[in-house]
Amino acid sequence: KNEVEQSPQNLTAQEGEFITINCSYSVGISALHWLQQHPGGGIVSLFMLSSGKKKHGRLIATINIQEKHSSLHITASHPRDSAVYICAVRLRGGSQGNLIFGKGTKLSVKP
Amino acid sequence: DTAVSQTPKYLVTQMGNDKSIKCEQNLGHDTMYWYKQDSKKFLKIMFSYNNKELIINETVPNRFSPKSPDKAHLNLHINSLELGDSAVYFCASSQELVLAVTDTQYFGPGTRLTVL
């Protein structure tokens, strides 16, 4: 079992829909990242959070430390949001500087 | 003014060859990383360097040898390439090794390695 699990693995939505991607982890963490990987392969860091909620434009990320769960929401989705969204956690203690990645959620937004 | 750059972007080579991938960051960061993304899109850390010193070395074959000539560069040299080495390799950097909650990692664009 992976230490970081994402769901769903694949997600197809119609333009304008509200989207939720989930991430659960089983290790102690100091922070959690949401990353976006475009079809061309480039990776962009969207959020880093250790508690509560962060918002950037149409993107919202939440984390519940007690439940070891985070969600990434996209409001009013658009075809340009189509990408792979990756959750990654930073371990608390242990191997410093290490991130453990989920397998990603492939999102396709249809016009 | 690219933050983290990698060269080459694509690399196609024969089994048994030796190749290098270069990474440079102009962010003034102290820590650099190499990640491997396999065909299933799963990212795994390979190495981490802090101030030119190797800090993390995950279970990676000895054929892979990172080299950090200075803080801004972390190159990956691969000897005797094998079919299973085909993947996308990402370089990244961050300010500190013990990452503060406000810190983040900046990724390069990736190098797609294909071993024939």
Side-chain angles (χ1 to χ4, degrees):
Chain A
K1 186 179 185 299
N2 291 327
E3 290 152 310
V4 181
E5 295 277 358
Q6 285 185 237
S7 63
Q9 205 169 349
N10 292 284
L11 181 56
T12 301
Q14 285 299 126
E15 184 173 356
E17 284 184 2
F18 180 83
I19 287 162
T20 297
I21 300 171
N22 296 300
C23 175
S24 297
Y25 54 92
S26 58
V27 293
I29 71 168
S30 59
L32 181 144
H33 291 257
W34 280 103
L35 309 168
Q36 180 191 52
Q37 184 172 28
H38 293 282
I43 297 177
V44 174
S45 181
L46 297 175
F47 294 104
M48 185 180 66
L49 63 167
S50 56
S51 65
K53 176 179 167 178
K54 283 190 177 179
K55 185 174 188 292
H56 181 71
R58 295 180 294 107
L59 301 176
I60 303 167
T62 63
I63 187 168
N64 185 319
I65 297 294
Q66 286 72 32
E67 294 185 4
K68 295 188 173 179
H69 180 268
S70 174
S71 293
L72 176 68
H73 306 284
I74 306 175
T75 60
S77 59
H78 190 276
R80 64 174 175 267
D81 297 326
S82 298
V84 176
Y85 292 83
I86 304 168
C87 170
V89 300
R90 184 170 302 156
L91 295 178
R92 187 175 58 230
S95 297
Q96 302 298 334
N98 197 3
L99 290 181
I100 300 177
F101 292 82
K103 291 189 175 183
T105 295
K106 185 173 182 180
L107 171 65
S108 297
V109 181
K110 308 290 184 190
Chain B
D1 57 347
T2 306
V4 182
S5 59
Q6 292 178 231
T7 53
K9 192 169 181 183
Y10 298 96
L11 183 54
V12 181
T13 188
Q14 299 284 338
M15 261 175 52
N17 284 348
D18 302 339
K19 290 292 178 186
S20 291
I21 306 172
K22 295 185 177 181
C23 178
E24 176 181 1
Q25 54 95 2
N26 61 6
L27 298 165
H29 286 168
D30 287 337
T31 309
M32 296 184 72
Y33 312 81
W34 274 109
Y35 291 88
K36 180 181 178 181
Q37 186 179 42
D38 60 26
S39 56
K40 296 181 180 176
K41 304 292 187 184
F42 195 26
L43 267 171
K44 284 188 177 180
I45 190 165
M46 300 172 68
F47 301 102
S48 170
Y49 267 71
N50 176 259
N51 275 318
K52 296 171 33 179
E53 184 184 342
L54 179 65
I55 301 301
I56 294 172
N57 183 357
E58 294 297 308
T59 308
V60 177
N62 291 336
R63 299 181 294 104
F64 289 80
S65 53
K67 286 185 172 50
S68 183
D70 54 59
K71 236 172 51 165
H73 295 85
L74 181 61
N75 303 324
L76 184 64
H77 189 75
I78 316 171
N79 290 326
S80 304
L81 278 156
E82 299 177 358
L83 293 176
D85 298 332
S86 295
V88 181
Y89 292 84
F90 286 94
C91 175
S93 73
S94 63
Q95 181 58 47
E96 297 173 0
L97 176 61
V98 180
L99 300 175
V101 292
T102 54
D103 203 355
T104 190
Q105 291 192 24
Y106 295 81
F107 285 82
T111 295
R112 183 175 292 277
L113 170 65
T114 303
V115 182
L116 303 175

